[in-house]
Amino acid sequence: MVLKDRMLFPLPLRAACSLLAWFCLYKWFCHRYRHRNLEWSCRLVTLTHGILATCLSAYIGFIDGPWPLSHPGSPNTTLQVHGLCLSLGYFIFDLCWCVYFQTEGALMLAHHLVSIVGIATSLALGESGADVNAVIFGSEITNPLLQARWFLKELGRYHTFTGDLVDFLFVVLFTGVRIGVGAWLMYCELASPRPRWFIKLGGVVMYVVSWVFMLSICRFARRKSIRKYQAWRSRRSRELGWKTNGHLKGH
């Protein structure tokens, strides 16, 4: 069902309700985990949004439609509006939290600002919800893994098989979805005459931000692979040394 123009007016109220809901969830986490630091509660909010936004945007894109690769710039549907308002409130909350506590760098803040402007623009225009929803899906599908990595570090369980698996899945998903599928989506967006030029510009900016993140991820993956290889060689050398010493003693 295509969104009617009369639904445009309550959108600021919906976004405000979403912001309030995320803030209340954060305060509840702060109370529930008061023995933890405040970032623990904020990360739980981020994890919750990542799971909800991924599931909802996947349902919208793959089942409810329209398909973003073939219908960029199409009028927003009711479900798309719900999903965009949900994420808009979260991004405003998280941006304010990051600025207040100064926990993130300029790149992450820019990512949040572009997300907020892009979602708000789509809601105000009543179109391109399919495109923006697809960007949210690509951005949030790796978020639960990123938060799981942080929690594993906090619990002292990062340097385990679970930590290695989380890192591996994160790199694979980020490369395949955000870079690979993201390039395909950007091509369809730029090739279509329907989306407004500033919507296209926002898509390009988000893709460039993804590549900046990708470069950092590549450096991280390279360092971790080298450390793992060196640790394996050291362990292998010790094992060979023990076997050789045992053989010499046997003679």
Side-chain angles (χ1 to χ4, degrees), residues 22-187:
W22 289 116
F23 178 74
C24 290
L25 181 63
Y26 168 71
K27 296 301 289 184
W28 184 84
F29 280 139
C30 289
H31 175 74
R32 175 65 178 80
Y33 300 100
R34 50 187 173 273
H35 58 289
R36 301 283 186 178
N37 57 34
L38 294 178
E39 187 173 3
W40 180 280
S41 298
C42 186
R43 293 274 182 174
L44 284 175
V45 173
T46 301
L47 176 63
T48 303
H49 172 261
I51 295 173
L52 286 177
T54 299
C55 294
L56 182 58
S57 59
Y59 177 83
I60 292 172
F62 291 106
I63 299 176
D64 190 67
W67 184 239
L69 298 178
S70 57
H71 295 81
S74 57
N76 296 348
T77 65
T78 302
L79 191 56
Q80 286 172 354
V81 170
H82 291 329
L84 294 180
C85 287
L86 178 76
S87 291
L88 180 59
Y90 162 75
F91 282 119
I92 294 175
F93 161 77
D94 200 51
L95 177 65
C96 294
W97 196 95
C98 292
V99 170
Y100 183 79
F101 290 100
Q102 299 180 354
T103 58
E104 298 292 345
L107 183 61
M108 183 59 72
L109 297 181
H111 171 272
H112 277 33
L113 277 174
V114 173
S115 299
I116 291 170
V117 172
I119 294 173
T121 302
S122 176
L123 289 171
L125 292 174
E127 62 187 48
S128 291
D131 331 8
V132 178
N133 178 78
V135 173
I136 292 175
F137 173 77
S139 300
E140 294 301 315
I141 192 173
T142 55
N143 197 290
L145 293 170
L146 193 62
Q147 304 314 314
R149 182 174 183 267
W150 186 89
F151 284 115
L152 286 172
K153 283 186 173 182
E154 286 291 302
L155 297 172
R157 300 175 184 174
Y158 176 64
H159 298 289
T160 61
F161 172 76
T162 303
D164 293 340
L165 180 61
V166 167
D167 282 343
F168 174 77
L169 291 176
F170 175 78
V171 173
V172 170
L173 273 178
F174 194 99
T175 306
V177 177
R178 199 154 174 174
I179 300 300
V181 179
W184 188 10
L185 176 64
M186 186 177 67
Y187 169 77

Side-chain angles (χ1 to χ4, degrees), residues 189-202:
E189 183 83 7
L190 295 177
S192 174
R194 287 193 297 268
R196 311 285 184 104
W197 67 267
F198 41 86
I199 294 291
K200 294 183 179 183
L201 178 62

Side-chain angles (χ1 to χ4, degrees), residues 240-251:
L240 290 175
W242 292 335
K243 289 179 181 179
T244 302
N245 290 338
H247 179 72
L248 291 174
K249 288 179 182 180
H251 277 72

